[in-house]
Amino acid sequence: MNSVIGKRLDGRYEITELIGVGGMADVYKANDIMEDRVVAVKVLKDEFSNNEEFLRRFRNESKAIAVLNHPNIVKIFDVGFSDEIQFIVMEYIDGITLKEFIEQQGVLRWKDGVHFITQILRALQHAHDKGIVHRDIKPQNIMLFPDGTIKVMDFGIARFSRVDGKTLSDKTIGSVHYISPEQARGETTDERSDIYSVGIMFYEMLTGKKPFDGDTAFAIARKHTDETAIPPREIMPSIPEALEEIILHAMERFPDRRYQSASDMIKDLDTFKMNRSVSFGYKYGQRNSDNESSTKYFKPVASKPQPKYEYDDEDDYDDEDDDDDDEYEVKKRSYIVPIMLGVTAAVVIIAAVIIAMSVIDKLGTAGSTGTVEIQNFVGKDLLEVQEEFGDKLIFDTSNEYNNEYDEGVIFWQGDTQGKIVKEGYKMSVKVSMGSKKTTVPDVKNLTFDMADNELQKFDLISAKVTMNDENIEEGRVIKTQPASGEKVSMGSTVTVFVSTGPVSTDVKVPDCQGLSKNDAIKLLKSNKLKYEINEVEMEENKGKVVAQSEDPNTWVPKDTIIVLGISTGEISPSEATLPILIPAGAHGSYRIDVYLNGNIAVTQKISKAETVAGGTANITVKGKKTATYAIYITNDESRKTVENYIKFDVDFSTNTVKKIGDEKTKEFTNITPTTTTTTTTTTTTTTTEAVTEPDEPDEPQDTEPAETQPPVDDGGEDQQQYDENEQVEQ
């Protein structure tokens, strides 16, 4: 099975190493790449994967087990089925098993034992409340954290490993130490079987020994069914008496005599913790009636051989103690012979006395007989009643099925309690044959109403429970508990699990706005959503989410792509067109200079053919926000310039252009252009570049608009003319 290492199961579980080997499955450590976490994956062994009945039950039961949610139960995340492999994905526990801890410690302090057992019982009560019985409670299936927290795992798996319900082999020897007597006999098991196993574990924790042991699984199983364990205080006297009572009460061989629920046992443990000197009054190995004799304690050494149970694998059972039996019989005879001689003599004497008294009584009373008061025999075992009253009453019995009383128990008597009758009186009683059995029918894939009708035909009562199922359509039966084919009492309630369809895949969209890109991506992944990034040009909230394609708190299918708008923190330059009106009287070729903040932003040359008075030259400028541009036109031949021909306010965000000043065409005046200032030099250089490469004008400055200034000198006629024209435009 090590070939599994390195594989990816179900497209998401990457197997990294083998961490445990069991009788049914191997456990691997794996990485869940979708959830980014470490998990444990239990992979079913090949010999079980080929058993169709086993697989059917494994699949159905595993889905039910996955609903368990308790702090003391190992969480089941996923169950996978295919033709090649069956696996269960569980919570990964970084700890040791309780078995390893017991082996390390030898004997646990009773306080630690109470702490561990209480957690185990809480986990079992949670499972029992949901109709799930573990059936394989043992230290190997209990995980222990360093802080003392207990987690129970492998719910329901033991049931799968024994599909026939009876077969025991040496492979099960690890479990058979903790198996309940009813499991060993192949009988129906319930919550009380788990409680028995808890009692066995508790015994082992506090004594360091298993109550029943042997060389084979069959030998151990027989001790569970036939023997009573040595009281733990005989092994470890420091164990409190009340705690011994709790342990032995949980280990009663008959289910109706032990704790009936995990919560009952927890209550006794809580009572003990409040008062360690409490006495519960449980009589281990005894019947409930005070008239019943107690069962003797059987010690493993020199125990008398018991009748052999007929297991399916009986031929494998080695009855190896024949010689010891002979020795036992020889020893027994050596004591019995003299005892029997004495008993025989006593019997002869007593018989003679009885005969003599009988003769005297007959002579003196003329044949009168004694009387007896009839007691209430309802609820008592017939054999026990006959043993006690058989010499005084004659019981006329009839046998009937009865759901309230166990087999062999009187449930009706014809005469009322307290009636006084003569000895030898014949009275009628009805004795229970137990519940009449029926077989749970297969109602899978039926509607609940159809299943209910079918169950009624078998005298069964249905109880509806809904659950998700990936394979069964909504409204159809997934399974029943007890499962189809099992024998149950007529009138029993059968839980019918009805599908509500696959688990909803819709997830809620989180609010990502205002988060950084990385934080938003993590949030979407944690909610099982995918993402795309779309950059949004804006100057605020650089690197943060400013928009998302789905509104927050809405529900969408899992893996939906959410488009996140991420602010770039800046905007790209926009274009605007300045319509330049050609002045009247224009002739020849001209150059148009567009100034921004005193610097040439764009230069464009107009050829003679394009110089048409009253025409328009369109010049494109680029920028952000708003800007104010000043336009100047220079004649290439005369080098004359029109000062401050017109101004434009441009709003790039709305792509609007607004003219400022006199819009009438101005005639050229003979003004010599300024060539001495630094600005003019820069302008000339810029113009040269613009004329050389007219298709690539200088990039405008990304600055706030400022008062535009023409290229003028510090004084002179040019400056004076400029000032006058400026005043006219204003």
Side-chain angles (χ1 to χ4, degrees):
M1 189 62 80
N2 286 338
S3 59
V4 176
I5 296 177
K7 288 187 177 180
R8 180 181 293 182
L9 303 182
D10 204 21
R12 63 183 290 186
Y13 305 111
E14 293 182 343
I15 306 298
T16 58
E17 61 178 299
L18 179 67
I19 59 176
V21 177
M24 295 177 53
D26 296 324
V27 184
Y28 296 87
K29 187 177 180 181
N31 292 321
D32 182 352
I33 60 175
M34 289 185 64
E35 296 293 338
D36 191 23
R37 64 186 173 193
V38 178
V39 295
V41 179
K42 176 165 284 192
V43 179
L44 206 62
K45 288 188 174 181
D46 292 339
E47 57 262 37
F48 296 102
S49 298
N50 297 324
N51 187 318
E52 291 298 327
E53 172 65 12
F54 179 89
L55 289 180
R56 182 185 68 80
R57 297 177 66 176
F58 176 81
R59 293 170 182 172
N60 292 341
E61 203 81 13
S62 296
K63 293 176 182 178
I65 295 167
V67 305
L68 295 179
N69 184 16
H70 191 274
N72 295 122
I73 297 177
V74 174
K75 179 65 178 174
I76 304 295
F77 294 131
D78 194 7
V79 180
F81 308 113
S82 69
D83 294 337
E84 298 179 354
I85 196 167
Q86 319 283 325
F87 62 89
I88 300 175
V89 182
M90 307 177 296
E91 173 186 5
Y92 176 75
I93 305 296
D94 188 12
I96 63 174
T97 65
L98 185 58
K99 176 181 175 61
E100 292 170 325
F101 184 73
I102 294 174
E103 290 174 347
Q104 292 174 5
Q105 301 296 318
V107 177
L108 305 190
R109 299 182 307 168
W110 65 260
K111 290 183 179 180
D112 292 336
V114 170
H115 178 65
F116 295 154
I117 289 296
T118 301
Q119 294 181 72
I120 294 169
L121 289 170
R122 287 171 181 161
L124 290 175
Q125 188 60 56
H126 175 76
H128 295 167
D129 288 343
K130 293 184 176 295
I132 297 173
V133 181
H134 193 290
R135 295 185 175 87
D136 195 22
I137 287 293
K138 57 186 177 182
Q140 295 93 317
N141 284 337
I142 311 295
M143 297 301 298
L144 175 61
F145 284 90
D147 64 357
T149 301
I150 285 289
K151 281 194 180 261
V152 184
M153 61 182 182
D154 281 358
F155 271 89
I157 303 304
R159 180 176 185 176
F160 310 140
S161 65
R162 299 175 59 211
V163 174
D164 58 10
K166 296 180 180 179
T167 303
L168 289 172
S169 69
D170 289 342
K171 290 183 179 180
T172 64
I173 199 164
S175 297
V176 79
H177 284 107
Y178 309 93
I179 197 172
S180 67
E182 56 268 28
Q183 282 178 286
R185 291 190 293 263
E187 298 173 355
T188 301
T189 57
D190 56 22
E191 294 88 346
R192 296 171 295 182
S193 297
D194 286 346
I195 293 171
Y196 180 89
S197 301
V198 170
I200 299 291
M201 279 202 310
F202 207 175
Y203 186 108
E204 182 183 6
M205 288 181 190
L206 302 191
T207 65
K209 296 181 179 180
K210 299 177 179 66
F212 304 112
D213 209 347
D215 295 330
T216 67
F218 299 110
I220 300 170
R222 281 184 56 180
K223 290 184 178 182
H224 281 289
T225 58
D226 301 343
E227 297 184 7
T228 303
I230 300 172
R233 280 171 52 82
E234 290 188 17
I235 302 172
M236 191 64 60
S238 61
I239 298 173
E241 292 184 18
L243 211 52
E244 180 182 68
E245 282 192 78
I246 293 174
I247 294 171
L248 296 179
H249 191 51
M251 288 172 53
E252 286 282 3
R253 290 205 308 273
F254 299 97
D256 58 344
R257 298 179 196 166
R258 66 180 78 121
Y259 287 109
Q260 299 301 293
S261 69
S263 60
D264 288 344
M265 190 170 176
I266 293 173
K267 289 177 183 177
D268 278 0
L269 288 170
D270 290 340
T271 301
F272 164 74
K273 285 187 283 186
M274 291 186 292
N275 179 13
R276 296 177 190 173
S277 62
V278 66
S279 176
F280 296 104
Y282 300 134
K283 297 179 181 180
Y284 180 53
Q286 295 184 351
R287 292 186 180 273
N288 295 330
S289 173
D290 293 337
N291 296 326
E292 297 167 352
S293 60
S294 62
T295 303
K296 300 297 183 183
Y297 293 117
F298 287 88
K299 295 188 178 181
V301 294
S303 60
K304 183 177 179 179
Q306 301 293 323
K308 188 189 303 180
Y309 281 85
E310 296 183 359
Y311 296 102
D312 287 351
D313 294 345
E314 183 179 347
D315 294 339
D316 295 336
Y317 180 78
D318 185 10
D319 207 353
E320 60 212 15
D321 296 330
D322 293 341
D323 294 339
D324 293 339
D325 292 346
D326 294 339
E327 182 180 356
Y328 176 84
E329 292 296 334
V330 170
K331 290 181 180 179
K332 182 170 66 173
R333 284 195 296 272
S334 65
Y335 292 102
I336 289 178
V337 170
I339 292 174
M340 291 302 296
L341 290 175
V343 170
T344 301
V347 169
V348 171
I349 295 172
I350 293 171
V353 172
I354 292 174
I355 292 172
M357 293 179 64
S358 176
V359 171
I360 295 172
D361 183 65
K362 287 181 178 180
L363 292 174
T365 61
S368 65
T369 61
T371 59
V372 61
E373 181 180 354
I374 296 178
Q375 298 184 12
N376 181 16
F377 298 124
V378 174
K380 294 185 178 181
D381 189 282
L382 174 65
L383 296 178
E384 295 171 357
V385 170
Q386 287 176 330
E387 183 179 354
E388 184 176 356
F389 294 93
D391 59 338
K392 300 175 183 178
L393 297 171
I394 298 173
F395 293 93
D396 181 18
T397 62
S398 61
N399 299 319
E400 295 181 12
Y401 288 107
N402 189 286
N403 293 332
E404 297 182 12
Y405 293 89
D406 293 336
E407 184 178 357
V409 175
I410 298 171
F411 67 89
W412 178 89
Q413 66 185 56
D415 298 276
T416 59
Q417 178 183 358
K419 184 177 181 180
I420 298 176
V421 298
K422 292 182 179 181
E423 291 183 358
Y425 178 80
K426 185 177 182 180
M427 66 174 295
S428 299
V429 295
K430 292 183 180 180
V431 182
S432 173
M433 296 169 60
S435 301
K436 191 173 183 179
K437 301 295 183 180
T438 186
T439 302
V440 178
D442 187 0
V443 295
K444 184 177 180 181
N445 283 318
L446 300 180
T447 65
F448 175 73
D449 290 340
M450 295 169 62
D452 181 54
N453 291 333
E454 188 68 18
L455 290 170
Q456 288 183 27
K457 296 177 183 177
F458 290 81
D459 291 327
L460 296 172
I461 302 170
S462 60
K464 182 178 180 181
V465 174
T466 58
M467 63 185 296
N468 298 115
D469 191 280
E470 299 292 331
N471 303 313
I472 304 297
E473 67 176 283
E474 182 178 359
R476 297 285 176 171
V477 175
I478 304 169
K479 64 171 186 174
T480 59
Q481 180 65 37
S484 62
E486 290 192 19
K487 294 285 186 180
V488 297
S489 300
M490 286 187 175
S492 298
T493 298
V494 176
T495 303
V496 181
F497 294 87
V498 179
S499 174
T500 56
V503 178
S504 174
T505 57
D506 286 352
V507 294
K508 185 184 289 188
V509 178
D511 188 356
C512 299
Q513 298 190 67
L515 300 179
S516 67
K517 181 174 74 173
N518 291 337
D519 288 345
I521 291 173
K522 289 180 181 178
L523 183 58
L524 290 177
K525 284 184 175 180
S526 67
N527 284 275
K528 296 181 172 57
L529 294 168
K530 296 182 179 180
Y531 69 92
E532 285 184 3
I533 300 299
N534 183 25
E535 292 187 343
V536 178
E537 291 186 353
M538 61 184 302
E539 295 182 317
E540 298 82 14
N541 300 316
K542 182 177 182 180
K544 294 185 177 181
V545 178
V546 294
Q548 60 186 75
S549 59
E550 297 289 344
D551 292 334
N553 300 320
T554 57
W555 292 85
V556 298
K558 184 178 67 173
D559 294 328
T560 295
I561 296 175
I562 306 298
V563 181
L564 299 176
I566 308 296
S567 171
T568 61
E570 60 182 10
I571 57 176
S572 300
S574 299
E575 291 185 349
T577 301
L578 305 181
I580 309 300
L581 191 63
I582 303 300
H587 61 85
S589 62
Y590 290 87
R591 189 182 73 215
I592 300 177
D593 294 325
V594 180
Y595 281 82
L596 176 65
N597 298 328
N599 297 312
I600 293 179
V602 180
T603 294
Q604 182 170 321
K605 185 165 182 168
I606 302 176
S607 64
K608 291 181 179 181
E610 295 172 321
T611 305
V612 179
T616 302
N618 294 321
I619 297 181
T620 301
V621 293
K622 291 184 178 181
K624 304 175 183 178
K625 296 185 179 180
T626 61
T628 300
Y629 294 94
I631 313 301
Y632 297 90
I633 302 176
T634 303
N635 185 283
D636 286 343
E637 297 175 357
S638 64
R639 305 295 294 175
K640 305 298 182 183
T641 303
V642 175
E643 312 101 310
N644 201 14
Y645 166 60
I646 198 168
K647 291 182 181 179
F648 288 93
D649 274 346
V650 179
D651 188 341
F652 288 100
S653 62
T654 59
N655 196 25
T656 57
V657 178
K658 180 181 179 182
K659 297 179 182 179
I660 303 174
D662 187 5
E663 297 184 3
K664 295 181 179 179
T665 303
K666 297 183 179 180
E667 296 182 356
F668 290 100
T669 56
N670 295 326
I671 300 176
T672 304
T674 304
T675 58
T676 58
T677 66
T678 303
T679 303
T680 303
T681 303
T682 303
T683 301
T684 303
T685 303
T686 304
T687 302
T688 302
E689 292 176 356
V691 172
T692 304
E693 298 179 1
D695 295 332
E696 296 183 5
D698 290 346
E699 191 72 10
Q701 300 296 318
D702 186 12
T703 59
E704 295 295 330
E707 184 68 24
T708 55
Q709 296 290 339
V712 296
D713 200 351
D714 294 337
E717 184 178 0
D718 290 347
Q719 179 65 42
Q720 181 180 1
Q721 183 64 42
Y722 166 74
D723 292 340
E724 293 174 354
N725 291 338
E726 181 72 7
Q727 292 173 1
V728 171
E729 286 196 340
Q730 293 177 352

